């Protein structure tokens, strides 16, 4: 019985270490909710959490947007799933279920725009084939965006239907209610949702500015934004970031937002502006955190491989064609409006004016805005690429788009309407057969090749902590590893892989000093200031060989600490101390005076912080 219990614990530990960094933190709180004696008690412990970060009480629900974990824990217990399925599989199942809703919403949006289900099927096919660039679900399941973006896709589908000119009263009411519910849910699930809604609001503002849609519809959407922002503010523990968000500034008016920014201070936008200044070369900094973020792959410009993948699946060429046709048709409508020409109330297929449809104009503006950001920051491609698939599929399946093109070409040899109808069915069919032939066998092969994540060194470390370390011990190390320790052991840590809190950012930078050229005494003072009991040095960081020059953790620390002068060709300056993570392994004075090695394997070295310092010669 004991052996069986230990085996189950080992299996659970091996599953949990697959959650890395911030994903581990999110899932650990889901586990905490399931262990709580009641839902109310669990929520209270999360909102007054002093068992995660040493010397710090945090409202984890507000700071980390843990509403998905609260909902998942309630569903798990309310449905009686605890008797038939393990918590981890229930949690994963919900996220993958939301991805199904995500794809379905894209299917519906493309169908609404084109009028044919073929466009929806093609959207789904392109989404799945380009899943490396459309979603991060395969790499990190608990990410907030994986919970939130399906609701945004539902909101976009509802907005698309709402903007259609020929919608009946009941359909309009349904779209409005769905749009309201999905907007609010999206805002609750992701702390950065209001930035994406800000881009959407700009698109609607431009649509309204050229009188390309009845103003009352756009203003109704604005009301949804305002309602969702203030309701989110109240239910997210008075989240001041929502009150000073650019979305509210745009919708409510500049003067009102200015007053709020005077009375409701918030530092999120300051961090964002500093990051953008450095990103676009408008400023330079030696700040470790800022440079470390800039070195992350997700914040670099997209690689050639990204565009090559989209081209090989044929979605990028067709997207470009559709966007060009819709954009220039939209410009024609705008210039016609500027010149005082009235627009037709009902646009027929023979007119060839796809740019007069308000839902098309909205999607064109929105995709251009998202695409512009994705061209600068690769991590934003996950917002843009799904709509690339949707817009490309809509276009090739839309007779109106082909008719617009034929009007420009002044086609006379074949009846343009007939040819447009034929192409709107033939082109997607040919694309679908081509994708099936090329990608379906590859997709089936990937599904049959089940890969297992296995990291024996990390499993050994977690096992040692649970068996040997005191329950009240506090661990220090890289934020990513601390997230795994919080999840797998429940022990208290000094830092977390979160970047929206000034104190946590400063803690991360201070703890990372274990990889810098600082003295043993300096490191000891930093660690003891956070009541640290154990220090974990990772060999992968200490001996890191980075592919990007100057982006290794130790390089960034040397720059921040003045041990490297960037402006003089990375010329090393004098430091009388060796790199701490190397020196502490040698076990000589003064390092052994402050730190005692208690465990090690191929990847990790664990040192106990000495409470009584004995100086040796």
């Amino acid at each position: 019985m004991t052996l069986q219990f230990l085996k189950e614990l080992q299996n659970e530990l091996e599953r949990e270490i697959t959650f890395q960094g911030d994903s581990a933190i999110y899932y650990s709180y889901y586990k905490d909710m399931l262990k709580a004696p009641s839902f109310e008690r669990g929520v209270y412990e999360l909102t007054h959490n002093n068992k995660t970060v040493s010397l710090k009480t945090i409202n984890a629900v507000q700071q980390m947007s843990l509403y998905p974990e609260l909902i998942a824990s309630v569903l798990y217990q309310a449905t009686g799933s605890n008797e038939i399925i393990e918590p981890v599989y229930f949690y994963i199942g919900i996220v993958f279920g939301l991805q199904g809703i995500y794809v379905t919403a894209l299917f519906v949006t493309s169908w609404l725009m084109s009028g044919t289900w073929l466009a929806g099927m093609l959207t789904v096919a392109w989404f799945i084939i380009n899943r490396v660039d459309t979603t991060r679900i395969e790499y990190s399941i608990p990410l907030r965006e994986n919970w939130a973006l399906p609701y945004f896709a539902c909101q976009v589908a509802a907005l698309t239907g709402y903007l259609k000119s020929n919608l009946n009263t009941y359909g309009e009411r349904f779209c409005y209610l769905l749009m309201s519910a999905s907007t609010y849910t999206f805002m609750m699930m992701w702390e950065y949702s209001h930035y994406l809604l800000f881009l959407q609001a700009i698109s609607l503002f431009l649509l309204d500015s050229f009188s390309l849609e009845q103003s009352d519809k756009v203003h109704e959407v604005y009301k949804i934004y305002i309602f969702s922002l203030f309701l989110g503010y109240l239910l997210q523990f008075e989240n001041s970031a929502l009150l000073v968000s650019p979305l509210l500034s745009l919708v409510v008016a500049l003067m009102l937002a200015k007053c709020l920014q005077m009375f409701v201070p918030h530092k999120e936008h300051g961090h964002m502006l500093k990051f953008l200044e450095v990103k676009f070369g408008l400023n330079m900094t030696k700040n470790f955190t800022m440079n470390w973020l800039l070195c992350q792959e997700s914040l670099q410009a997209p690689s050639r491989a990204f565009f090559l993948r989209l081209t090989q699946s044929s979605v990028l060429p067709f997207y470009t064609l559709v966007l060009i046709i819709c954009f220039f048709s939209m410009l024609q409508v705008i210039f016609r409006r500027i010149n005082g020409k009235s627009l037709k109330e009902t646009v027929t297929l023979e007119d060839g004016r796809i740019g007069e449809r308000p839902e098309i104009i909205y999607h064109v503006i929105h995709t251009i805005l998202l695409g512009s950001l994705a061209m600068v920051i690769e991590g934003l491609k996950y917002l843009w690429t799904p709509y690339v698939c949707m817009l490309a599929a809509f276009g090739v399946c839309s007779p109106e788009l082909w008719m617009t093109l034929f009007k420009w070409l002044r086609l006379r040899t074949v009846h343009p309407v007939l040819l447009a109808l034929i192409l709107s069915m033939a082109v997607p069919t040919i694309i679908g057969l081509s994708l099936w032939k090329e990608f379906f066998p590859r997709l089936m092969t990937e599904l049959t090749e089940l890969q297992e994540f296995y990291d024996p060194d990390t499993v050994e470390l977690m096992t040692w902590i649970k068996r040997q370390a005191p329950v009240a011990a506090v661990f220090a190390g890289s934020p990513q590893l601390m997230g795994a320790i919080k999840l797998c052991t429940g022990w208290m840590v000094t830092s977390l892989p979160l970047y929206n809190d000034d104190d946590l950012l400063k803690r991360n930078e201070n703890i990372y000093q274990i990889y810098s050229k600082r003295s043993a005494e300096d490191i000891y003072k930093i660690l003891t200031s956070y009541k640290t009991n154990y220090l974990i040095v990772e060999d992968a960081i200490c001996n890191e060989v980075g592919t990007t020059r100057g982006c290794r953790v130790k390089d960034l620390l040397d720059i921040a600490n003045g041990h490297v002068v960037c402006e003089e060709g990375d010329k090393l300056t004098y430091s009388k101390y060796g790199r701490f993570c190397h020196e502490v392994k040698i076990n000589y004075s003064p390092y052994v005076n402050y730190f005692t090695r208690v465990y090690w394997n191929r990847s990790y070295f664990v040192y106990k912080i000495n409470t009584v310092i004995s100086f040796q010669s």
Side-chain angles (χ1 to χ4, degrees), residues 31 165 180 204 235 316 389 408 515:
K31 282 181 59 181
S165 301
S180 301
L204 292 171
L235 295 183
L316 186 59
C389 300
W408 293 345
Y515 301 105

Side-chain angles (χ1 to χ4, degrees), residues 25 28-29 32-33 35-37 41-60 64 470-475 482-483 485-496 504 507 530-531 533:
I25 296 296
S28 72
Y29 288 122
D32 291 344
M33 282 297 300
K35 293 176 183 177
R41 183 62 188 175
V43 172
Y44 178 82
E45 290 179 353
L46 290 185
T47 54
H48 301 79
N49 185 281
N50 59 1
K51 298 179 181 179
T52 298
V53 183
S54 61
L55 302 179
K56 188 176 177 66
T57 299
I58 60 175
N59 184 339
M64 304 175 198
V471 176
V474 177
F475 283 83
M482 294 303 99
I485 289 177
K486 171 64 178 69
L487 167 61
C488 298
T489 70
W491 264 246
M492 193 175 292
V493 295
T494 56
S495 59
L496 294 174
L504 288 177
R507 282 173 177 248
Y530 297 121
K531 302 297 183 184
N533 301 113

Side-chain angles (χ1 to χ4, degrees), residues 579-594:
R579 199 166 300 281
F580 175 83
C581 62
H582 289 151
E583 301 297 322
V584 74
K585 296 177 185 177
I586 303 176
N587 283 338
Y588 70 92
S589 183
Y591 296 91
V592 293
N593 305 330
Y594 298 100

Side-chain angles (χ1 to χ4, degrees), residues 110 113-116 119 122 126 317-330 332 347-357 359-361 363-364 388 390-411 416-417 419-425 427-428 431:
S110 190
M113 293 173 66
S114 65
T116 173
L122 190 55
W126 267 327
F318 283 108
Y319 166 78
T320 305
L321 173 65
V322 171
L323 182 62
I324 289 173
I325 294 173
C326 291
F327 180 73
F328 281 105
S329 179
M330 182 185 75
Q332 280 186 325
V347 180
T348 62
L349 177 60
E350 290 82 0
D351 294 326
R353 295 180 184 177
I354 197 168
E356 286 194 12
R357 290 172 54 186
E359 70 272 23
I360 304 299
I361 297 170
H363 279 287
V364 168
V388 169
M390 183 272 296
L391 198 69
F394 137 73
V396 297
C397 296
S398 172
E400 288 182 75
L401 182 126
W402 294 111
M403 193 62 198
T404 301
L405 178 62
F406 296 154
K407 278 284 186 178
W408 293 345
L409 298 177
R410 302 182 184 277
L411 190 65
V417 174
L419 184 58
L421 291 170
I422 293 174
L423 287 179
S424 65
M425 292 184 290
V427 172
I431 294 173

